[in-house]
């Protein structure tokens, strides 16, 4: 794909070579994300960060990534505080906001809404999650994390063994991740969910077309026994027409240290897009895993900065200029990467 000026709406836009370009660029962002260097390459540029649905990580990560490149961020948060509530169309909103911004990130509860918005935008639009459809930047940071975690273990994305666990019907992160894994070879996927929350057929078809081995089950313990990655997800209660229905599934698949020790191969990596639901009735990833060095959930979030910075510099065509606009950090830097 040609990154310059492109909207980032779906994983379907990417080929394997594009992922290599993106991940190479993300690696180059590390000194800036870790505050060892400052770059002002996007000085003067404005990100319109439009989040019409709840978000902590994705919104702040996109915003911080843009700030770390020297750009400014303008935000609108929540449907109630935007003119969408007055009946303004997504297209009109896009026509207006793209006059104020150089790039726009958007999250919205309706599948397809971000693409609709992008169709009327004069600047690139990045999909921060459109309902239960896709979450491409999350899948990209997830795959980047998988590659990094498996580095040096003699295992890679080709030949990967992964169990996806939880709400696979409404979870947009696993939808995008399935599409992304379809670009690779010989992946073994175990899809663990309640029958009612199974992975939609179109994603399974996409995996099978790629020649991957797919096992569908509602049994957790056997499924996490021989995998490189356990990718846990939250029950997406906001997607249920009757929220009480979500209670039927919450807490169905819980992973804690005892279950991990008994069933997983040593060094199985645990991932989750976050937020993990820490309420007692859910507790899909117990806090007793927090001292397990294979819990990669906070490294995932850290990697999100790198991948989103890479998306910005590629789409705005400044990847080659980042270092030229760099300088040293004057303040005391006590940060370390999340362990
Ligand atoms: C996910 C999302 O919003 O789809 N969160 C995120 O962006 N990291 C997953 C979730 O909310 O469960």
């Amino acid at each position: 794909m040609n990154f310059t000026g492109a909207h980032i709406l779906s994983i379907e836009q990417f080929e394997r070579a594009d992922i290599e370009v993106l991940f190479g660029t993300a690696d180059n962002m590390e000194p800036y994300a870790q505050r060892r260097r400052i770059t002002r390459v996007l000085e003067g540029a404005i990100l319109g960060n439009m989040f019409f649905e709840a978000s902590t990580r994705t919104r702040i990560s996109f915003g911080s990534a843009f700030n770390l490149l020297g750009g400014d961020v303008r935000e609108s948060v929540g449907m109630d505080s935007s003119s969408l509530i007055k009946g303004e169309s997504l297209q009109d909103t896009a026509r207006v906001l793209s006059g104020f911004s150089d790039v726009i990130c958007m999250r919205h509860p309706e599948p397809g809404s971000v693409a609709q918005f992008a169709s009327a935008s004069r600047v690139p639009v990045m999909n921060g999650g459109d309902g239960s459809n896709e979450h491409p930047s999350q899948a990209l940071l997830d795959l980047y994390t998988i590659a990094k975690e498996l580095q040096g273990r003699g295992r890679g994305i080709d030949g990967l063994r992964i169990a996806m666990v939880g709400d696979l019907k409404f979870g947009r992160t696993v939808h995008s991740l399935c599409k992304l894994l379809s670009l690779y070879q010989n992946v073994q996927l175990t899809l663990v969910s309640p029958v009612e929350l199974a992975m939609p057929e179109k994603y399974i078809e996409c995996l099978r077309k790629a020649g991957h081995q797919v096992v569908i089950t509602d049994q957790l313990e056997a499924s996490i026994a021989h995998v490189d990655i356990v990718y846990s997800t939250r029950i997406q209660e906001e997607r249920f027409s009757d929220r009480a229905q979500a209670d039927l599934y919450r807490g169905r698949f819980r992973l804690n240290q005892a279950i991990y020790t008994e069933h997983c191969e040593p060094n199985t990596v645990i991932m989750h897009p976050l937020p993990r639901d820490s309420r007692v009735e859910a507790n899909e990833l117990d806090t007793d895993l927090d001292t397990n060095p294979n819990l990669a959930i906070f490294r995932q979030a850290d990697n999100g900065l790198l991948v989103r910075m890479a998306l910005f510099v590629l789409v705005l065509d400044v990847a080659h200029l980042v270092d030229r606009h760099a300088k040293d950090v004057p303040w005391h830097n006590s940060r370390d990467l999340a362990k």
Side-chain angles (χ1 to χ4, degrees), residues 51 53-59 107 128-129 131 134-135 137-138 141 170-173 231 233-236 238-239 272-276 284 308:
F51 275 69
E53 202 180 37
S55 173
T56 300
R57 258 148 301 273
T58 306
R59 179 169 65 86
R107 171 173 286 188
E134 276 218 49
H135 193 342
S137 67
Q138 179 71 41
L141 77 87
F170 294 122
R172 55 193 170 197
T173 75
Y231 188 104
T233 64
R234 179 180 66 88
I235 301 299
Q236 307 283 294
E238 63 277 34
R239 309 271 174 246
H272 191 300
L274 299 178
R276 60 177 154 172
E284 57 234 9
R308 293 188 172 110

Side-chain angles (χ1 to χ4, degrees), residues 25-41:
T25 308
D27 288 342
N28 295 338
M29 298 300 119
E30 216 173 84
Y32 305 105
Q34 293 178 2
R35 280 47 156 207
R36 283 188 272 116
R37 302 273 287 158
I38 295 171
T39 178
R40 311 304 300 163
V41 70

